[in-house]
Amino acid sequence: MGAIVGYARTSTIEQVAGLEAQQRDLEASGVTKLFSERVSSVAQRAELARALDYIRDGDVFVVTKLDRLARSVGDLIDISRAIEGKGASLRILSLNLDTNSPTGKLMVNLLGSVAQFERELMLERQREGIAKAKAEGKYKGRAPTARAKAEEIMRMRAEGTGPAEIARRVGIGRSSVYRILAT
């Protein structure tokens, strides 16, 4: 049998107690190598990447709760495929889910199928809403980009206005002003 590798994560530095509780639960479940970090799920999760790189054939990758591992069900599917690709299995303590069993694999695939179905329904509703808004003459499309204001930006710069002031007056980011001025 391989190593039991754990991953713990909290979103903010203030959640020290939550991170300690996860670490305690993971160690109680037999984790021998623990990766932990304090970072938002939408940010780069360097320790998660290190943990996934660390696991080997026969290892078990353990987390306390699903939301500590994945930001979405699609993300869960990607992570579980990466784990499976290494010959390891995933265990989520709060769900009593282990992909080492056929039922655990079924549950992960079922969650993935539901997520894909929800995504397709959402896109369909979005397309229907846009079509209805267009029919009613309410669909405006995307707001003009900084490029649409290029003439005004060039004129203001020629008059001696600085990039920060141009950005403030035109209502765009300073980096967009610099990008237009560089052309």
Side-chain angles (χ1 to χ4, degrees):
M1 181 170 168
I4 300 176
V5 180
Y7 174 70
R9 182 189 62 78
T10 57
S11 300
T12 63
I13 293 169
E14 292 82 39
Q15 295 176 330
V16 174
L19 189 62
E20 289 171 354
Q22 286 178 60
Q23 292 167 336
R24 190 174 48 251
D25 291 348
L26 289 168
E27 287 168 359
S29 74
V31 166
T32 54
K33 177 73 174 169
L34 180 63
F35 294 85
S36 62
E37 60 191 335
R38 292 183 186 118
V39 63
S40 167
S41 67
V42 295
Q44 276 299 99
R45 296 173 290 174
E47 288 299 303
L48 175 59
R50 284 187 57 228
L52 293 174
D53 187 53
Y54 178 85
I55 59 174
R56 301 287 180 257
D57 188 31
D59 289 354
V60 178
F61 189 82
V62 184
V63 294
T64 56
K65 292 175 21 185
L66 184 58
D67 66 341
R68 300 297 89 202
L69 176 64
R71 63 187 115 230
S72 67
V73 179
D75 192 29
L76 169 64
I77 300 302
D78 292 342
I79 292 169
S80 90
R81 282 188 183 138
I83 292 168
E84 190 176 302
K86 293 263 193 145
S89 63
L90 170 65
R91 186 181 304 153
I92 303 169
L93 299 177
S94 67
L95 297 175
N96 199 21
L97 185 139
D98 190 338
T99 62
N100 213 15
S101 72
T103 304
K105 286 180 183 174
L106 172 67
M107 290 302 295
V108 169
N109 287 323
L110 185 61
L111 289 170
S113 297
V114 169
Q116 182 178 346
F117 176 69
E118 286 179 345
R119 175 91 178 126
E120 289 170 5
L121 283 178
M122 186 269 306
L123 290 172
E124 184 179 321
R125 286 190 303 266
Q126 182 182 35
R127 283 190 296 272
E128 289 170 357
I130 289 171
K132 180 181 177 199
K134 280 182 178 179
E136 295 172 1
K138 295 178 181 175
Y139 186 74
K140 306 273 190 259
R142 188 176 162 181
T145 63
R147 289 264 174 231
K149 302 174 182 181
E151 276 186 45
E152 183 181 2
I153 291 167
M154 297 302 264
R155 179 188 52 74
M156 291 173 79
R157 185 63 182 145
E159 293 170 355
T161 309
E165 181 61 20
I166 293 171
R168 190 187 66 71
R169 286 188 197 171
V170 178
I172 61 172
R174 200 172 64 227
S175 60
S176 295
V177 172
Y178 283 117
R179 204 171 305 115
I180 290 168
L181 294 175
T183 59

